[in-house]
Amino acid sequence: MKEIQLKYGCNPNQKPSRIFMRDGSDLPVEVLNGRPGFINFLDAFNSWQLVKELKEATGLPSAASFKHVSPAGAAVGHPLSDIDRKMYFVDADAELSPIACAYIRARGADRLCSYGDWAALSDVCDAATARYLKDEVSDGIIAPGYTDEALEILKTKKKGNYNVVKIDPSYVPAHEEFKDVFGVTFEQGHNDFKIDNELLGNIVTKNKELPESAKIDMIVALITLKYTQSNSVCYVKDGQAIGVGAGQQSRIHCTRLAGNKADNWYLRQNPKVLGLKFVDGIRRPDRDNAIDIYTSDEYEDILRDGEWQKVFTEKPEPLTADEKKAWIATQSGVTVGSDAFFPFGDNVERARKSGVQYIAEPGGSIRDDHVIETADKYGIVMAFTGMRLFHH
C-alpha cells in the first residue's frame, strides 16, 4: 500500500491527513483492523522502534505502552511474580508467554497513564497477550505478526474497531529524516545510535560493581529515553520501567516526576493496597483510579461515607504519610537513566530516595565532580555514557 488516508491530523481541524513514503515505495505497515489515526501512527512508529531495539539489545521479548508519543512504560519479558499478578489483575493460574509478561509489566509501570494506550510488541502477538489486552482500555497495537487466535480476540475489542497494525520487522528507515514546522522543512540523520553493554563501561564512581541485572535495567532505561519526549528521566527495576518523567523543562523536575511515579508503583505492593477489597464487577480503570486516590494525599476523597461503598466492600484503613514514607524507604535495587547530563547533585539526592543504586547518564556537566561526589556519598554506581538522547 502506497498511502493510508487518515481521518484528520493531531486535531479534527487539521485536514487533509495521510501517511505515505516520500520515495513512492510501499508502506512498511498493514492495518489488519480498525482505522488508526495520526497520533496512533506516531505512537505506533515510536513504540515499535523502542521494542525492536530493546529486543536486539537484551535478547528478551520486549513491550511498550505509549501515550501521546512517549512511553508510559516499557519492559522485557521476565516472568510475573505472585505480587505482580495481584498488582496487574492477572489470574493466579493464567498461563502467560514471555511476550505477554512483557506487555503486562510495561502497562503496569503506570496503569493510570496507560489508560487508552498504544501497545507495541517486539514479537508475534499471541493469544495470551491478546486475552490480557482484551480487558484493558487501549487504542491499538503494533507487532510484527499475530496468531490467528490473537487476531480474532483483538477484533472483538471496541465493538470491532480496535486498531491492529502489522509492521514488516525487516524494514529499515532512510538515513535522512524530514519534518515540516510552520512551513519550514527540517532535515536530520535518523538516530540509529546503538545502545548496548559497551556503552556502560565508563563507571566514574568509587563503587564499580555493576551486576548483569543492573546492566539490563540501564539498557531498558536508555532505550526508553531514546523514544521519550525530552527532557526525560526513567526509573527501572527488574527489566521494567517503573517511572518515566517526560517533557519537563528542568532536569530535577524530570527526576522528581519519574521518582514520584516509581514511588507510586512501589506503593501498589504495600500489603494495605494489595488487601483492598473491591466490590464485585468493578472495572479495571475504576480500580486503578481508586488505588491512585487511596495512595495519594487526597485519600479522604475515596474513604468518606457515601464514596467508599461504591468501590470497596469494607472501608479500608488509611495508608498514612508515615506508613508511605517507611514503605518507600524499603525500596532498593532501582536504576535511573537520564537523556542528558545531571547538572547538579540534587538529581542524585532525589533518585536515592526512591531506592536508586545505579545511574546511567551522559556526563558532561561543568559540575560532574559534584554529581559524582553525591553518588559516592551513597555508594551509588554511576556510568557516563557520553551520548545525549534527546527526542522531539
Side-chain angles (χ1 to χ4, degrees):
M1 182 175 289
K2 301 293 184 183
E3 68 174 49
I4 297 176
Q5 293 289 333
L6 307 177
K7 192 174 181 180
Y8 48 75
C10 284
N11 298 290
N13 64 299
Q14 292 178 268
K15 300 175 182 178
S17 180
R18 62 174 175 150
I19 61 170
F20 64 99
M21 304 297 287
R22 280 176 174 263
D23 63 3
S25 62
D26 287 337
L27 288 162
V29 293
E30 179 183 358
V31 178
L32 303 183
N33 198 67
R35 187 184 179 188
F38 190 95
I39 295 174
N40 290 149
F41 274 117
L42 289 177
D43 282 340
F45 294 140
N46 277 283
S47 61
W48 165 250
Q49 292 178 86
L50 191 162
V51 299
K52 182 175 186 288
E53 291 182 29
L54 193 52
K55 171 71 178 288
E56 290 172 350
T58 66
L60 298 168
S62 304
S65 173
F66 256 62
K67 279 288 292 291
H68 296 292
V69 205
S70 280
V76 295
H78 292 329
L80 300 187
S81 67
D82 291 341
I83 290 178
D84 289 337
R85 287 177 180 256
K86 290 180 181 178
M87 288 172 65
Y88 309 141
F89 313 136
V90 179
D91 291 340
D93 57 351
E95 293 186 8
L96 299 174
S97 61
I99 192 62
C101 290
Y103 177 69
I104 292 167
R105 299 175 84 236
R107 190 177 179 104
D110 187 343
R111 288 187 55 84
L112 227 60
C113 285
S114 284
Y115 180 88
D117 73 338
W118 187 275
L121 308 179
S122 66
D123 294 15
V124 169
C125 179
D126 59 8
T129 310
R131 279 192 291 268
Y132 187 80
L133 252 175
K134 183 177 182 294
D135 294 326
E136 297 287 3
V137 178
S138 173
D139 274 0
I141 181 173
I142 187 169
Y146 302 82
T147 66
D148 291 342
E149 185 180 4
L151 187 56
E152 289 307 308
I153 293 169
L154 294 174
K155 283 182 175 180
T156 66
K157 279 183 66 64
K158 299 184 73 170
K159 299 180 180 179
N161 295 315
Y162 187 64
N163 294 312
V164 180
V165 175
K166 179 181 177 181
I167 187 162
D168 177 0
S170 67
Y171 168 70
V172 177
H175 178 67
E176 295 79 17
E177 292 181 340
F178 301 89
K179 180 179 182 179
D180 287 356
V181 178
F182 197 52
V184 178
T185 299
F186 291 64
E187 179 182 0
Q188 68 174 355
H190 179 73
N191 188 1
D192 54 6
F193 181 74
K194 187 176 182 180
I195 295 172
D196 56 23
N197 282 349
E198 293 184 9
L199 196 63
L200 312 177
N202 184 22
I203 298 178
V204 295
T205 46
K206 293 177 181 177
N207 187 351
K208 302 184 184 299
E209 295 183 16
L210 187 62
E212 287 300 317
S213 59
K215 290 180 181 179
I216 291 176
D217 288 352
M218 283 186 173
I219 288 172
V220 171
L222 294 172
I223 292 178
T224 298
L225 292 167
K226 188 179 176 185
Y227 296 102
T228 302
Q229 297 296 300
S230 299
N231 289 323
S232 56
V233 167
C234 180
Y235 290 60
V236 175
K237 185 173 182 179
D238 296 333
Q240 173 187 5
I242 60 173
V244 180
Q248 303 302 302
Q249 289 82 4
S250 166
R251 182 68 39 187
I252 186 60
H253 289 161
C254 298
T255 306
R256 290 172 184 164
L257 175 59
N260 291 342
K261 290 186 176 187
D263 293 345
N264 289 339
W265 172 83
Y266 191 55
L267 282 172
R268 288 186 63 136
Q269 302 176 48
N270 184 279
K272 277 192 172 182
V273 179
L274 292 177
L276 292 172
K277 300 185 187 308
F278 293 97
V279 298
D280 291 339
I282 188 170
R283 297 170 63 246
R284 287 185 182 180
D286 294 327
R287 276 191 286 187
D288 288 327
N289 289 337
I291 291 170
D292 186 69
I293 297 171
Y294 175 73
T295 58
S296 75
D297 293 338
E298 284 78 42
Y299 64 89
E300 292 177 343
D301 290 350
I302 204 166
L303 295 187
R304 65 173 178 259
D305 285 342
E307 291 298 322
W308 71 262
Q309 293 93 336
K310 299 175 183 177
V311 180
F312 306 113
T313 58
E314 298 177 12
K315 184 177 181 179
E317 290 293 322
L319 186 60
T320 68
D322 286 343
E323 287 176 315
K324 288 190 285 186
K325 185 176 181 179
W327 179 257
I328 291 169
T330 66
Q331 173 75 296
S332 64
V334 178
T335 293
V336 152
S338 177
D339 67 354
F341 61 69
F342 283 157
F344 303 103
D346 56 354
N347 291 276
V348 179
E349 292 281 2
R350 173 60 190 90
R352 176 193 63 87
K353 294 175 182 177
S354 296
V356 168
Q357 292 177 268
Y358 310 98
I359 296 174
E361 57 121 318
S365 167
I366 60 173
R367 294 178 61 86
D368 273 348
D369 56 346
H370 181 245
V371 175
I372 295 170
E373 180 184 341
T374 308
D376 282 337
K377 182 168 64 171
Y378 300 110
I380 292 172
V381 181
M382 183 159 61
F384 279 0
T385 66
M387 177 54 67
R388 194 177 75 179
L389 296 170
F390 279 176
H391 180 65
H392 292 285

